Amino acid sequence: MKAAVLREARSPLTIEDVRVDKPQAHEVLIRTAACGVCRSDLHFVDGAYPHAMPCIPGHEAAGIVEAVGSEVRAVKVGDAVVTCLSAFCGQCEFCVSGRMSLCLGAETRRGTHAAPRLTRQADGTVINQMLNLSAYAEMMLVHEHACVRINPEMPLDRAAILGCAVVTGAGAVFHIARVSPGDCVAVIGCGGIGLAAVNAARIAGAGRIIACDPVEEKRALAMKLGATDVIDTNDEDAGKQIIEMTGGGVHHAIEAVGRPASGDLAVKALRRGGTATILGMMPLDHKVGLSAMDLLGSKRLQGGLMGGNRFPVDIPRLVDFYMRGILDLDTIIAKRVPLTEINSAFDDLRKGDSVRTVIEFN
């Protein structure tokens, strides 16, 4: 199969011939239909976060099941599926206490003495699988707990972005922040995750939704998806503007871009008793904090890994939301390109002007 391989950080991906192994007992082989280009991948490509090399990035995908292992029961050949990087074992403390997105997933990966899932076609050298998926490839070989069957009528290019951007942004609203009808919400960063959070806040009945981004076009998209107000984060007084327009600050601030200034703005935007939820991948040495006065005002700060998702339940529900016209995925997708344009798609991400590019496979 063809796949986009990252051989070393801060270098272009190369399209190579890669061999994918046959599925073992609890594994599923999927023919990839589409994969979103997410900023999380860019952190690894640009070396901000470490990963074993060479590897195949890509973690936001949908496709059709080609083969299943002998013990797989949840999906069958021919099923349309969405994959999710938060593969879960189903047995650890996090899984059995209902926090599946925190599972470390050790049991979902092949052991060190097992044959690798991915190897280079030419010489058999190992290609490392990234985030349980490695979706910038024509095929994915994953554990059965890394995919979920969906309505076969769902367009797979839209379904792909459910696996990260939407399940993270919407999950932050529904599961982590637990936005209530009438709450004031600020979303800082209007990329794929942020726009999904804006849309989910509208679904949840938020009274005021303030979308914060330096790019005018993204702010316009946020208004289309349900924002009631927009703020240019290039303005030095962005936090003050939010405080003034809400009469004291927001109940929930959701940071969705992973920049230190965005985390600071999320805290500044809070009213007394408000909660800031950080979704973005901050620089590894960065800390986001609350002052003593913030703590005296009962303000809270929390993380929200992958939106606290329970993806076998959440993704089919999100598909249903889309099919019923409640969830708008079309607006989030900026363009669709073939795998050969993967490096250009990352260049667009670096510029920060585009929302979601989707890689389509023929």
Side-chain angles (χ1 to χ4, degrees):
M1 68 172 183
K2 297 292 184 182
V5 179
L6 178 65
R7 296 214 154 264
E8 59 182 29
R10 294 175 291 278
S11 65
L13 280 72
T14 56
I15 307 302
E16 301 183 19
D17 290 313
V18 174
R19 178 184 176 275
V20 59
D21 201 20
K22 294 180 180 179
Q24 293 185 356
H26 289 280
E27 293 178 337
V28 180
L29 182 65
I30 302 164
R31 181 167 296 279
T32 313
C35 181
V37 181
C38 177
R39 183 169 293 277
S40 298
D41 285 316
L42 186 61
H43 288 303
F44 294 104
V45 172
D46 286 350
Y49 277 65
H51 197 279
M53 304 286 177
C55 63
I56 300 171
H59 63 273
E60 184 183 77
I64 303 295
V65 175
E66 286 276 309
V68 298
S70 59
E71 299 299 319
V72 174
R73 299 292 181 268
V75 299
K76 63 182 185 303
V77 173
D79 281 345
V81 294
V82 168
T83 58
C84 190
L85 67 91
S86 51
F88 62 95
C89 71
Q91 304 172 36
C92 69
E93 172 192 351
F94 299 114
C95 287
V96 299
S97 61
R99 297 174 292 169
M100 298 158 54
S101 63
L102 296 181
C103 177
L104 295 175
E107 300 300 321
T108 68
R109 295 184 286 273
R110 288 191 176 180
T112 54
H113 299 295
R117 287 175 176 167
L118 303 168
T119 53
R120 190 166 181 253
Q121 187 74 44
D123 56 15
T125 55
V126 174
I127 303 291
N128 293 284
Q129 189 173 39
M130 181 180 284
L131 299 176
N132 303 308
L133 301 176
S134 285
Y136 293 145
E138 292 175 330
M139 306 287 286
M140 293 177 284
L141 180 59
V142 306
H143 191 273
E144 62 178 327
H145 290 168
C147 66
V148 58
R149 180 173 55 201
I150 61 169
N151 184 339
E153 296 183 7
M154 177 70 180
L156 293 180
D157 60 330
R158 279 76 139 191
I161 66 171
L162 293 174
C164 179
V166 179
V167 82
T168 299
V173 170
F174 299 145
H175 302 318
I176 304 295
R178 297 184 181 273
V179 172
S180 298
D183 282 353
C184 291
V185 178
V187 177
I188 296 111
C190 294
I193 292 173
L195 290 177
V198 167
N199 201 175
R202 180 180 67 180
I203 294 170
R208 198 159 193 175
I209 305 168
I210 305 166
C212 309
D213 198 278
V215 180
E216 183 178 359
E217 291 79 3
K218 290 184 178 181
R219 298 196 298 269
L221 290 176
M223 292 293 290
K224 184 176 179 182
L225 287 165
T228 58
D229 306 271
V230 293
I231 294 287
D232 184 347
T233 53
N234 282 329
D235 292 344
E236 292 183 0
D237 64 346
K240 182 180 179 181
Q241 291 179 47
I242 296 172
I243 297 295
E244 290 177 349
M245 70 171 54
T246 56
V250 298
H251 298 92
H252 298 283
I254 296 174
E255 192 284 332
V257 66
R259 291 180 177 147
S262 300
D264 294 341
L265 179 56
V267 171
K268 288 178 183 177
L270 295 178
R271 69 173 60 218
R272 289 169 65 84
T275 302
T277 301
I278 307 299
L279 302 179
M281 293 171 67
M282 295 283 181
L284 287 170
D285 60 353
H286 180 69
K287 293 180 174 62
V288 182
L290 296 173
S291 70
M293 287 302 295
D294 290 332
L295 294 171
L296 288 172
S298 293
K299 297 179 183 180
R300 294 180 292 273
L301 176 65
Q302 61 184 354
L305 178 64
M306 289 295 293
N309 74 78
R310 307 154 304 179
F311 80 87
V313 174
D314 291 346
I315 287 178
R317 288 180 179 176
L318 292 169
V319 167
D320 182 59
F321 281 177
Y322 175 79
M323 300 296 285
R324 290 163 53 198
I326 299 172
L327 180 67
D328 182 356
L329 303 177
D330 302 78
T331 297
I332 296 175
I333 298 174
K335 61 181 178 180
R336 298 161 177 81
V337 300
L339 183 63
T340 52
E341 294 186 28
I342 182 65
N343 291 307
S344 295
F346 279 127
D347 286 340
D348 288 342
L349 265 184
R350 293 183 182 99
K351 295 174 186 174
D353 295 335
S354 65
V355 184
R356 239 345 172 249
T357 296
V358 171
I359 303 293
E360 287 191 311
F361 296 81
N362 296 325

